[in-house]
């Protein structure tokens, strides 16, 4: 093909044409809601996982002191 | 020396660069000569333009050098004389509004003259000229006895350019009621001039078949055009021009298709009886794959064609066949037979006269177009439906294959209801679904009431009357009454003869 086929529903700067926006209009709200739900789910999974594997608190465990004399050779 | 292998006309168009030539749209009026002088509804079907194609002219040059030697002279009388180039009006998009009387287009000036001769001024001071058709009719405000003599319209409103009143005083006086239609009239004015503007009409380039798996979305015009892979129609005016023709096949398809926007949910307008009738049709319209192919092993029994009877056809029968073929592309693997029946079914088709003679194999002198495609056949009968029904010409009627379509029949309209009186009982007798459209809500309700009255309730409603999702978006002007604006197939409803189920008798 000499040039790639271009859809008439996008103008020369690849922006959506008015016809495409009108065609998408009945589904816009439902799509946004679905998208928001998916993104929320993903973020919440990340948040839970990171929280679950974040480093434990060890402040209540007493670390023994370093021995003052090294062991005799 | 003319080249030998290209016809003269094609060469002429090649050298002229294929100008789009518009055939003038003819206004077809309902041929009703009733005493009350009812306004008829003209249906126009302008011919779409062929798309401009860029064709290389190198072939012409090659042939002219090669064929100079031995070429027979064209016999006298068969010589092609170049036609005189017609004076063509080119209207820029910002130059589309012209008052009808001063229009640069002669056909529109003729229309203005026709309107001035036939239309009456709607101001209440005049006497009534006819019975009012509906409560919104301007004639309802006039009184039948008191008032001045009815006057023809002479004055054109400066905002819309259509002759609407007899004088400027009456126009100024009735301004509020004129304002209701003024914007629409101006839009009609511009759309009409747009058809004569000589621009390239991309919206009349229709797509071909698409693969079955790419489903068509029938929520509204925009989703339909997108999912059917039409070229994008971004502006309103081309969208209006396109839907005006497409409304006819797409209205039929929007009801019959399994993805139709009408359903049995609340607000979906389809009744249970409607679902039954449509399921029967959809069984045929969406056939399962049979494994058939082009070879001998792929031979399969094929069902007969789905017949769509368009009764009371007027300008619909003159629609370009590419428009009707869109119906085929929506239902793959289904053969259609579209039958136009009605006394005016040859409206706008004067080139096809005279009709074929009535012979025993063609007893009603029908024009049969069976070469459109392997899946589409169109027949046109200039005859009343009741004559052909009583002759048993289309018998047997099968609710799995047949469907009636009535485009704005005006069943209850006083000017045309007497013609439907004989046909309607026979239509209902077939028990086949009948889809009907109407110009307005009031129109449809009147038709529905008339049908129920005439048939004593022996009617099942399949689709409740309401706005057609695939109506024409373009408004049309009634030349006999400029206040009467209508759009094709505004409303849609469906009915059928009442079917009774057998019940068990209590023992």
């Amino acid at each position: 093909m000499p040039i790639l086929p271009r859809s008439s529903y996008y103008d020369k700067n690849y922006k959506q044409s008015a016809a495409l926006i009108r065609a998408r209009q009945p589904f816009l709200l439902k799509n946004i809601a679905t998208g928001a739900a998916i993104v929320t789910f993903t973020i919440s999974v990340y948040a839970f996982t990171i929280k679950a594997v974040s480093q434990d608190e060890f402040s209540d465990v007493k670390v023994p002191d370093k021995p003052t004399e090294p062991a005799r050779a | 020396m003319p080249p030998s292998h290209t016809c003269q006309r094609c060469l002429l168009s090649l050298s002229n660069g294929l100008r789009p030539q518009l055939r003038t749209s003819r206004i077809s009026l309902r041929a009703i000569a009733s005493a009350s002088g009812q306004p008829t509804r003209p249906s126009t079907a302008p011919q779409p333009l062929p798309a401009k194609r860029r064709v290389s002219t190198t072939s012409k040059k090659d042939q002219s050098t090669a064929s100079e030697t031995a070429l027979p002279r064209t016999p006298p009388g068969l010589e092609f004389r170049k036609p005189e180039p017609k004076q063509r009006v080119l209207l820029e998009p910002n130059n589309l509004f012209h008052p009808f009387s001063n229009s640069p287009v002669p056909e529109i000036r003729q229309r203005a003259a026709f309107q001035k001769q036939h239309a009456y001024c709607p101001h209440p001071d005049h006497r009534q000229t006819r019975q009012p058709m509906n409560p919104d009719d301007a004639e309802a405000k006039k009184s039948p006895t008191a008032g001045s003599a009815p006057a023809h319209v002479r004055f054109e409103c400066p905002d819309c350019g259509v002759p609407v009143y007899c004088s400027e005083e009456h126009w100024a006086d009735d301004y509020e009621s004129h304002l209701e239609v003024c914007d629409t009239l101006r839009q009609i004015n511009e759309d009409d001039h747009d058809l004569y503007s000589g621009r390239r009409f991309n919206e009349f380039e229709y797509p071909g078949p698409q693969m079955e798996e790419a489903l068509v979305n029938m929520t509204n015009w925009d989703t339909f055009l997108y999912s059917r892979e039409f070229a994008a129609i971004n502006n309103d005016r081309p969208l209006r021009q396109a839907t005006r023709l497409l409304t006819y096949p797409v209205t039929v398809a929007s009801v019959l298709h399994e993805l139709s926007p009408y359903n049995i949910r609340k607000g979906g307008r389809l009744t249970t009886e409607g679902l039954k009738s449509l399921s029967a049709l959809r069984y045929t319209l969406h056939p399962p794959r049979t494994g058939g192919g082009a070879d001998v092993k792929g031979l399969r029994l094929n069902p007969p064609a789905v017949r769509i009877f368009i009764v009371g056809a007027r300008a619909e029968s003159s629609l370009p066949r590419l428009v009707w073929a869109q119906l085929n592309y929506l239902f793959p693997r289904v053969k259609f037979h579209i039958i136009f029946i009605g006394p005016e079914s040859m409206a706008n088709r004067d080139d096809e006269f005279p009709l074929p003679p009535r012979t025993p194999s063609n007893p009603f002198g029908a024009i049969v177009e069976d070469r459109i495609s392997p899946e589409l056949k169109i027949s046109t009968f200039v005859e009343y439906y009741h004559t052909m029904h009583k002759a048993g010409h289309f018998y047997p009627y099968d609710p799995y294959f047949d469907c009636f379509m009535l485009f704005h029949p005006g069943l209850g309209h006083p000017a045309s209801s007497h013609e439907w009186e004989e046909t309607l009982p026979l239509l209902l007798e077939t028990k086949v679904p009948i889809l009907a459209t109407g110009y307005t809500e009031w129109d449809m309700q009147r038709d529905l009431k008339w049908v129920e009255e005439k048939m004593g309730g022996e009617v099942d409603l399949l689709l409740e009357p309401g706005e057609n999702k695939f109506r024409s978006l373009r408004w049309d002007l009634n030349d006999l009454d400029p206040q009467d604006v209508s759009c094709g197939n505004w409303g849609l409803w469906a009915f059928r003869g009442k079917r009774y189920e057998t019940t068990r008798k209590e023992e």
Side-chain angles (χ1 to χ4, degrees):
Chain A
M1 302 175 285
I3 44 164
L4 290 170
R6 294 272 305 268
S7 169
S8 54
Y9 286 89
Y10 293 89
D11 62 15
K12 58 180 169 66
N13 296 323
Y14 297 100
K15 257 181 48 181
Q16 291 181 0
S17 68
L20 183 58
I21 293 172
R22 261 186 279 129
R24 294 181 58 194
Q25 207 264 330
F27 312 102
L28 202 60
L29 272 181
K30 280 184 275 183
N31 282 355
I32 289 174
T34 312
I38 293 175
V39 167
T40 317
F41 174 74
T42 313
I43 291 180
S44 60
V45 165
Y46 265 103
F48 172 77
T49 312
I50 290 174
K51 198 151 124 3
V53 303
S54 63
Q55 295 296 318
D56 292 321
E57 287 290 327
F58 293 111
S59 55
D60 52 336
V61 172
K62 195 167 171 319
V63 179
D65 293 326
K66 186 172 182 307
T68 46
E69 291 166 17
R72 287 226 181 151
Chain B
M1 271 299 193
S4 56
H5 300 294
T6 320
C7 88
Q8 305 265 22
R9 280 181 195 259
C10 295
L11 281 179
L12 184 76
S13 0
L14 281 174
S15 56
N16 288 343
L18 271 178
R19 283 171 308 184
Q21 291 288 334
L22 266 165
R23 266 175 280 170
T24 58
S25 66
R26 306 272 222 56
I27 299 164
S28 134
L29 304 172
R30 236 197 266 229
I32 295 166
S34 62
S36 48
Q38 300 302 341
T40 60
R41 290 182 171 80
S43 342
T44 52
Q47 304 292 331
L49 289 181
K52 240 192 241 183
R53 272 182 224 97
R54 255 168 225 91
V55 184
S56 74
T57 51
T58 52
S59 51
K60 176 184 164 204
K61 281 191 241 135
D62 290 340
Q63 285 177 338
S64 58
T65 47
S67 61
E68 260 172 333
T69 45
L71 193 72
R73 272 216 335 235
T74 51
L78 286 181
E79 278 148 0
F80 177 64
R81 262 175 287 279
K82 184 169 167 169
E84 308 301 317
K86 280 203 284 254
Q87 190 78 2
R88 206 172 81 247
V89 177
L90 207 63
L91 296 168
E92 293 297 314
N94 57 359
N95 188 20
L96 288 176
F97 173 68
H98 297 274
F100 272 9
S101 306
N102 303 334
S103 165
V105 181
E107 286 86 1
I108 295 187
R109 288 200 296 268
Q110 267 178 332
R111 269 185 84 182
F114 182 87
Q115 286 169 355
K116 288 185 175 167
Q117 278 184 330
H118 292 255
Y120 288 105
C121 176
H123 194 272
D125 272 354
H126 295 282
R127 232 170 303 148
Q128 235 180 31
T129 50
R130 53 176 171 82
Q131 290 293 355
M133 290 288 99
N134 56 54
D136 299 323
D137 203 347
E139 295 286 317
K141 289 186 247 163
K142 299 183 186 173
S143 89
T145 45
S148 54
H152 286 292
V153 290
R154 258 186 11 233
F155 177 74
E156 280 181 350
C157 166
D159 297 322
C160 53
V162 178
V164 275
Y165 285 95
C166 65
S167 57
E168 198 168 343
E169 297 82 42
H170 277 181
W171 169 71
D173 208 25
D174 217 17
Y175 196 57
E176 300 88 44
S177 53
H178 177 66
L179 270 185
E180 291 166 24
V181 290
C182 196
D183 294 328
T184 315
L185 287 176
R186 194 197 168 104
Q187 203 183 70
I188 294 173
N189 188 325
E190 289 180 357
D191 286 347
D192 277 339
H193 281 100
D194 181 51
L195 283 180
Y196 290 99
S197 66
R199 69 176 169 94
R200 176 168 180 180
F201 289 92
N202 286 318
E203 61 267 25
F204 293 133
E205 287 172 30
Y206 301 128
Q210 68 186 44
M211 63 179 184
E212 227 175 302
E213 288 76 13
L215 296 178
V216 180
N217 187 321
M218 294 193 165
T219 313
N220 57 35
W221 272 118
D222 301 304
T223 58
F224 173 80
L225 293 173
Y226 180 75
S227 47
R228 254 305 276 140
E229 291 171 19
F230 274 74
I233 304 175
N234 291 318
N235 299 316
D236 277 338
R237 181 157 291 120
L239 185 62
R240 287 197 292 269
Q241 308 282 23
T243 57
R244 188 182 187 213
L245 299 185
L246 285 171
T247 176
Y248 292 99
V250 178
T251 300
V252 181
S254 71
V255 180
L256 300 182
H257 203 277
E258 62 182 355
L259 301 173
S260 115
Y262 310 108
N263 49 53
I264 51 170
R265 293 197 291 268
K266 190 161 179 297
R269 284 166 53 191
L270 194 64
T271 61
T272 322
E273 289 300 322
L275 188 61
K276 288 183 198 168
S277 275
L278 289 182
S279 301
L281 274 171
R282 286 169 190 170
Y283 183 79
T284 323
L285 287 168
H286 300 283
R289 291 197 177 271
T290 54
D295 50 357
V296 174
K297 281 229 167 86
L299 277 177
R300 296 283 183 275
L301 205 60
N302 284 325
V306 171
R307 295 187 297 184
I308 301 186
F309 296 92
I310 302 184
V311 186
R314 300 189 292 283
E316 298 84 55
S317 68
S318 65
L319 277 177
R321 297 320 181 216
L322 268 181
V323 176
W324 285 112
Q326 292 296 311
L327 195 58
N328 257 329
Y329 302 142
L330 287 165
F331 298 101
R333 291 181 289 116
V334 177
K335 294 202 264 280
F336 280 95
H337 185 185
I338 300 180
I339 306 168
F340 295 107
I341 303 173
E344 293 167 54
S345 56
M346 289 296 288
N348 262 355
R349 288 167 73 173
D350 299 332
D351 304 333
E352 298 179 47
F353 280 106
L355 294 173
R358 295 190 171 205
T359 61
S361 55
N362 189 355
F364 293 99
I367 296 181
V368 179
E369 297 161 58
D370 49 1
R371 301 294 176 93
I372 304 170
S373 88
E375 285 92 30
L376 184 61
K377 174 168 151 177
I378 298 185
S379 311
T380 311
F381 291 83
V382 184
E383 189 65 74
Y384 280 108
Y385 176 76
H386 47 257
T387 316
M388 304 184 61
H389 181 100
K390 289 178 189 159
H393 191 70
F394 298 115
Y395 194 80
Y397 296 92
D398 192 333
Y400 281 77
F401 287 96
D402 301 332
C403 168
F404 287 99
M405 182 76 225
L406 273 46
F407 287 115
H408 331 108
L411 293 173
H413 194 279
S416 50
S417 60
H418 63 279
E419 290 174 314
W420 287 104
E421 261 186 62
E422 221 184 316
T423 303
L424 187 70
L426 304 174
L427 285 178
L428 295 173
E429 197 182 274
T430 61
K431 300 287 189 277
V432 157
I434 305 166
L435 315 178
T437 64
Y439 283 117
T440 61
E441 176 74 42
W442 195 86
D443 208 29
M444 284 194 293
Q445 294 291 350
R446 180 196 55 198
D447 287 352
L448 175 53
K449 255 200 313 274
W450 185 85
V451 167
E452 287 185 337
E453 239 173 59
K454 286 284 159 185
M455 302 313 301
E458 287 285 315
V459 176
D460 265 338
L461 197 62
L462 302 180
L463 189 70
E464 284 157 22
E467 188 177 350
N468 179 6
K469 296 212 160 97
F470 292 98
R471 65 174 177 92
S472 158
L473 296 172
R474 184 174 147 182
W475 293 92
D476 293 321
L477 193 56
N478 182 354
D479 276 352
L480 294 174
D481 181 10
Q483 308 281 339
D484 177 24
V485 288
S486 57
C487 70
N489 298 331
W490 185 89
L492 178 65
W493 61 295
F495 60 105
R496 186 198 63 197
K498 203 168 182 64
R499 283 186 67 231
Y500 292 93
E501 300 292 336
T502 56
T503 50
R504 283 202 171 278
K505 181 176 168 186
E506 294 303 310
E507 287 294 326

